[in-house]
Each structure stands twice: as structure tokens, then as C-alpha cells.
Amino acid sequence: MTYSNQLLDHYNNPRNVGSLDKADDRVGTGLVGAPACGDVMKLQIRVNDAGVIEDAKFKTFGCGSAIASSSLATQWLKGKNLSEAENLKNTDIANHLALPPVKIHCSILAEDAIKAAIADYKEKQSKKTTSEAPAA
Amino acid sequence: MNNIYTLPTAAPRQRPIYMDYQATTPCDPRVVEAMIPWFTEKFGNPHSRNHEYGWEAEEATLMAREHIADLIGAEAKDIIFTSGATESNNLAIKGVASFYKGRKNHIVTCVTEHKCVLDACRHLEEDGFHVTYLPVMANGLIDLDLLAQSLTDQTAIVSIMAVNNEIGVIQPLADIGKLCRERGVFFHTDAAQAAGKIPLDVEAMNIDLLSISGHKLYGPKGIGALYVRRRNPRVRLSAIIHGGGQERGMRSGTLPTPLCVGLGEACRLAKTEMTEENKRLTSYRDLFLNLLSEALTDLHINGDKQQRIPSNLNISFAFVEGESLMMSIKDLAVSSGSACTSASLEPSYVLRALGVEEELAHTSLRIGFGRFTTEDEVRQAAASLIAAVTKLRAMSPLWEMVKEEGIDLRTIQWTGH
């Protein structure tokens, strides 16, 4: 398979590989995909008090397109607020990396990972407010 | 938006190390040298009976037939030239089935056969034949008891490959041949990956039909052969290609003299050098495996550890996806059982047939050594793989979960897609 230079750049020099502390309630973690399907993405965001994503990390088991898609996703997430992040579309990732048609699902997986990370963060926040409520 | 795909290359580069000898082999320069005169000054039609041009060409094809027959313990007259193993397999299976149609309607083969055998069988099923697709055991070999049970008085032919193209395991040919002979069933074997790699003897192994490919044993592409037993018992088959009645009427068409000569020379060299070559390849394979196992854990070798040719290794590198691994070893030309390298997005049907878990099937590479592999290349390949696997495991969420967090992956509710 031949790939675009953008894709190869993200594959060869992946941005933001690593992990954030799952236990931190400012951190949202998304784990999507399945080993049997050949791709699993773990994408994490850390959101500051202003609601802005100040850090994003990923680890991906998958093909070159999956790794590049998650690398690009973390790069784009940094500095965005949550509603901007929720609006990131798989088509933006697919277009930027010029994904071949059979690899479009990699960008869909990246979008799913972003959504899952945001949902996890929001759930943590709502738990925090409900558990803090009686004390207040 | 940028839709221009460019090759993953920058400055002028060295070509990758070739480690895909099960896909094809380079033509041995000695083979090419033997072929050259038959393109130019000795261009005669080997079927021309009236002049020297024809006679010398016929003589050359006869010599080639003898070399091919020699490699498998057959006689020159038993050898039919074809365009390659795909045609040989089609001719053997469809030809026998069609000749004996009406009397026999059953075929036995195996789920890990090459696609051309499986598809020929599927085609015959549409034609009213019954086909038994034998499963394989976890080591990739067929179960002889199961084979014995599957034979009926309706069985026309059993087709079991000699050496598997993906995992390199050697099927128990002599046992299969003995069983088939006892039960009066023809035994065909696709020996594309076996001829010139392991000793083959159609008499000792009771093989009735045997397919050979030129380009898998350092011969030219576009030529192959089919051994068809002429007596004890005689195998009859219906031709697929009709015409001038060449090749005992089984395969019409003018013989490509240079290709025939090339295949013959390739077989002659293989027979002479097989023992030495296998010793060398075994030492390279062991060296390669030792280097890998010293540096990496969680390697799984697919297929039987003993019953295998030395020039093939099919390894699953757990927690690292095969296509991304291949992208990281651009200095190596190998192939992968991973889904992502194929248009179908399905992992290898051969690995699945072995019962290799899908997550491991996605992580497999096929590494093939051959006649022109050097020890330096083996060392460089190992180093390159070790670096790539280490890098990719460091960014694998599965590696992190299993190795750092001690999570059993089977307890996770995955969101498959």
C-alpha cells in the first residue's frame, strides 16, 4: 500500500505517544477497537479548569493508518475546548492523511476514541459533582 | 487536502533485503545462462519434426524433462509442462475429476491448501462433485485418521499439498500416499513449495500426480510441470487446454523451449545442492530465531516446529500489528498474515485454520530465507525486527495492559467493529 507523506510522517514520528494517569479526574480515557479486529486505540485527554484540553496522549495497536490517525488526533486535540474537540470529524483526519478507502475505518476509530475519552472525562466530572454535593 | 499518494522513499536508497522466498525466488544466474541460447539462435519449435531447428529444441525439452523427473524419482515421460503450479493443480484436480465423472464424484483436500486448489474444488462442487475439506491440527498438519475416514468408494482424488506456502510445514506425504494406494484413490500433491527443498520420491511416497512451479525453485516464471503417473496405476485425465495434442494430449500448446530448459536446469541444480543448501538455511534459521528470542518475549512460531522446511518462519509478534510492523522494517521485504495488508481485511485463512487466535494472526510475519540469503542479511534482519517490535510494543496499549498492568485481555469488553 502506498501512503501520503503526512501519514508516513505521523507513523514514523508519532506525536504524543504515552499515557496519562487514569485515576486523575481531570483525565478522560477512551479505549476503542478490539484485538481480534487488528486495532485498539487508547486515547487520553487532560482538561484544565478552563475546560481546555491541555494534554493528549495515545497508544495504538494497529496498522500504520491507525497509528497515524491517533497521532494526528492527539495533536489536534491539544488546546481545544471540549465542544471543539467533540466536533472533530473522522473525515478531517482521513482527508488530512489522505487515507486510502480501505483505511477509512482507522479514522472512524480515532473519532470514536476522542468521543470515548470526552465521555469518560464528563462522567468523572458528574460523579465528582454528585459526590461533592452532599458535602456542600 | 492532499490525495497524491507517494512512494515511501526519499533519497536514493538500497533495496530492501529480500526475505520473501515463498512468494518467489530470483532466477539463478546459471539457469538464465542455460536458457539464453534457446531464445535466439536455437529458436526452433520443438514440435517441428522435419528439420534440425525442431530436433535440437525437442532434444532440449527432453533433457529438461529428465532433470525434472530426476528431482522427484520419476521418468521423463511422466512430466507434463504447464504454465505454472496453478495450472498444474487445476489440470490435476479438474482433469482427474472430469475424466472419472460418472464413476466417482468425491474429492478430498485440506483447508490450508493454496487458493488455486481450493478454488478448483469449489468450481467442481458447482459441477456436482462432493468435496471434503479436511481441517488441520494446531501444528498445521492433517490428521491421518480423519483422512482415512473421509475416503469412500466414490473418492476420485486426494489433493494435499507437500509444503504449506505460509507456514512451511511438511505434510506426511508417504503416509498419505500409502493410505490412498491401499484405498485405490489417486494422490495429488501440490509440491510448489517442496520441490527442490525437500527430498521427494513419487515411488516411495506413492504419489500419482505432483505439481511443480518454476519460479519457486530459482527457475523462470511462467513455467511449471505436472507429474502424471503412467503405470501402477495409470492416471487418466481430461485436458483443459485443447489443440495440437502436445504433452500426451493432456496439455496442448507449443512448448516454450527456453522456459523448459530453465525449469530443467533449476531442478538439476536443486537436486545437486539441496543437502548443502538445507544445512546452510537451517543454520541461518536457528541463528535468526536465537537472535530474536534473546531480545524479545512473546514470540509464537506458527506451524509444527519439526515437520517444516528450514527456509520458512511464520512468527506472531504478540501485541504488534503486522502491517505497522512491516512499515517499520522498510529494509526488509517480507509478507504478513495480517488483515491490513490485504484488501479483504481478513487475517490469513491458513493461520485461522490452525486455530491461531485472531489477535495473534494480526501480528504475524512470514519470513523466507533462500539460496542467496547471507549471514549478514540474517543478522541485519533480526536487528531491524527487534528494533521495530520494541518500538511498537512501547506504543501498544495491549502491551501496556498485559505487561505493565497485569490485565487479562479476555476480561475486557471490546468494542469490535
Side-chain angles (χ1 to χ4, degrees):
Chain A
M1 199 127 10
T2 51
Y3 291 123
S4 68
N5 288 330
Q6 287 90 328
L7 188 149
L8 291 171
D9 178 39
H10 273 280
Y11 174 77
N12 291 321
N13 313 294
R15 278 57 145 193
N16 309 310
V17 176
S19 296
L20 301 171
D21 179 9
K22 253 192 293 195
D24 185 341
D25 35 307
R26 293 170 304 161
V27 169
T29 301
L31 181 69
V32 296
C37 302
D39 33 31
V40 173
M41 276 180 200
K42 187 189 77 168
L43 191 145
Q44 293 181 302
I45 51 172
R46 187 168 66 230
V47 184
N48 65 17
D49 293 340
V52 172
I53 297 171
E54 58 177 25
D55 201 2
K57 296 274 186 205
F58 83 95
K59 283 197 174 187
T60 291
F61 162 81
C63 61
S65 301
I67 290 173
S69 293
S70 30
S71 166
L72 178 64
T74 55
Q75 195 181 30
W76 279 354
L77 283 172
K78 280 198 204 179
K80 285 198 166 50
N81 66 39
L82 289 180
S83 61
E84 287 168 337
E86 275 169 333
N87 283 327
L88 275 181
K89 290 278 172 291
N90 81 285
T91 45
D92 300 331
I93 294 170
N95 287 339
H96 185 84
L97 298 174
L99 291 183
V102 298
K103 298 295 186 185
I104 297 298
H105 71 276
C106 297
S107 63
I108 297 173
L109 201 63
E111 187 186 313
D112 290 349
I114 296 172
K115 296 220 157 85
I118 294 173
D120 182 56
Y121 169 76
K122 286 185 169 169
E123 200 188 321
K124 275 184 177 172
Q125 295 308 305
S126 70
K127 273 186 188 155
K128 200 166 77 175
T129 44
T130 47
S131 62
E132 279 167 2
Chain B
M1 181 174 157
N2 183 348
N3 266 328
I4 299 163
Y5 303 162
T6 50
L7 285 170
T9 55
R13 66 197 168 94
Q14 256 198 316
R15 299 238 292 164
I17 298 171
Y18 189 73
M19 294 218 157
D20 202 8
Y21 276 82
Q22 276 74 52
T24 191
T25 59
C27 218
D28 192 301
R30 295 168 292 181
V31 168
V32 178
E33 199 175 329
M35 289 168 66
I36 284 172
W38 302 96
F39 284 105
T40 49
E41 75 257 36
K42 299 177 178 180
F43 60 86
N45 184 327
H47 313 294
S48 296
R49 288 289 161 82
N50 304 317
H51 48 66
E52 194 185 322
Y53 294 89
W55 299 331
E56 67 184 7
E58 191 192 17
E59 181 63 28
T61 60
L62 183 62
M63 189 70 89
R65 261 185 239 281
E66 278 173 9
H67 293 322
I68 299 163
D70 252 6
L71 184 65
I72 58 170
E75 286 173 34
K77 282 182 183 162
D78 305 327
I79 303 300
I80 306 289
F81 282 112
T82 66
S83 60
T86 290
E87 188 191 333
S88 297
N89 288 338
N90 269 269
L91 178 57
I93 297 167
K94 290 184 196 163
V96 165
S98 140
F99 189 89
Y100 294 92
K101 193 178 183 181
R103 283 165 283 174
K104 295 190 170 185
N105 69 352
H106 180 226
I107 296 161
V108 178
T109 185
C110 163
V111 290
T112 55
E113 292 294 309
H114 192 272
K115 285 281 182 194
C116 66
V117 167
L118 295 174
D119 278 5
C121 288
R122 292 259 181 252
H123 174 81
L124 288 168
E125 279 183 291
E126 287 167 18
D127 232 19
F129 283 88
H130 299 289
V131 181
T132 301
Y133 299 92
L134 293 174
V136 290
M137 301 182 286
N139 61 2
L141 301 178
I142 62 159
D143 180 338
L144 288 164
D145 291 335
L146 221 49
L147 171 63
Q149 287 162 30
S150 69
L151 299 180
T152 73
D153 55 2
Q154 289 293 301
T155 311
I157 187 168
V158 167
S159 181
I160 302 288
M161 73 205 317
V163 168
N164 185 272
N165 49 308
E166 285 193 36
I167 55 176
V169 297
I170 305 169
Q171 295 288 357
L173 299 175
D175 295 331
I176 300 169
K178 184 163 175 278
L179 184 63
C180 290
R181 185 61 51 85
E182 282 165 8
R183 302 287 291 269
V185 177
F186 291 136
F187 173 32
H188 164 249
T189 188
D190 171 6
Q193 300 285 351
K197 316 287 164 65
I198 58 170
L200 291 169
D201 186 324
V202 293
E203 293 307 329
M205 294 171 164
N206 292 308
I207 295 167
D208 300 310
L209 300 112
L210 181 149
S211 303
I212 292 177
S213 164
H215 74 99
K216 306 282 194 198
L217 79 163
Y218 309 97
K221 292 171 179 63
I223 183 118
L226 179 64
Y227 159 78
V228 185
R229 178 177 289 280
R230 279 179 310 128
R231 51 173 177 259
N232 304 324
R234 179 178 182 199
V235 178
R236 315 277 304 270
L237 50 79
S238 304
I240 293 174
I241 296 176
H242 302 95
Q246 291 91 347
E247 304 299 280
R248 293 155 58 199
M250 294 185 191
R251 207 279 191 179
S252 290
T254 299
L255 285 178
T257 315
L259 298 181
C260 298
V261 168
L263 176 55
E265 182 65 5
C267 287
R268 191 186 69 79
L269 292 169
K271 185 169 188 202
T272 320
E273 298 177 4
M274 189 189 304
T275 314
E276 274 308 303
E277 198 162 290
N278 277 347
K279 258 190 232 161
R280 190 172 67 245
L281 291 173
T282 304
S283 76
Y284 287 170
R285 190 255 321 264
D286 293 346
L287 169 67
F288 185 75
L289 269 183
N290 285 341
L291 291 168
L292 288 189
S293 358
E294 276 166 20
L296 299 170
T297 61
D298 299 271
L299 304 176
H300 304 264
I301 295 167
N302 298 307
D304 197 86
K305 308 283 184 295
Q306 270 76 47
Q307 287 303 308
R308 56 163 48 255
I309 52 167
S311 50
N312 167 286
L313 276 174
N314 189 303
I315 308 178
S316 293
F317 296 87
F319 315 114
V320 172
E321 197 278 329
E323 193 222 42
S324 60
L325 182 52
M326 292 218 292
M327 285 176 73
S328 280
I329 46 169
K330 285 194 281 287
D331 56 336
L332 307 182
V334 296
S335 90
S336 166
S338 151
C340 284
T341 57
S342 71
S344 69
L345 297 186
E346 289 290 324
S348 149
Y349 69 95
V350 171
L351 295 181
R352 282 165 65 137
L354 264 63
V356 174
E357 290 165 64
E358 279 195 60
E359 44 261 60
L360 274 182
H362 283 289
T363 70
S364 77
L365 283 192
R366 180 181 73 179
I367 297 143
F369 305 127
R371 185 173 290 169
F372 304 105
T373 305
T374 64
E375 189 181 322
D376 279 351
E377 288 180 332
V378 172
R379 288 181 184 281
Q380 189 182 328
S384 171
L385 256 172
I386 291 166
V389 170
T390 307
K391 171 191 155 193
L392 289 166
R393 279 181 174 170
M395 58 193 285
S396 166
L398 304 178
W399 178 261
E400 178 182 69
M401 291 163 86
V402 173
K403 295 293 165 178
E404 293 164 26
E405 298 169 1
I407 296 170
D408 181 350
L409 293 180
R410 284 166 301 190
T411 63
I412 305 277
Q413 190 74 41
W414 297 104
T415 54
H417 54 284

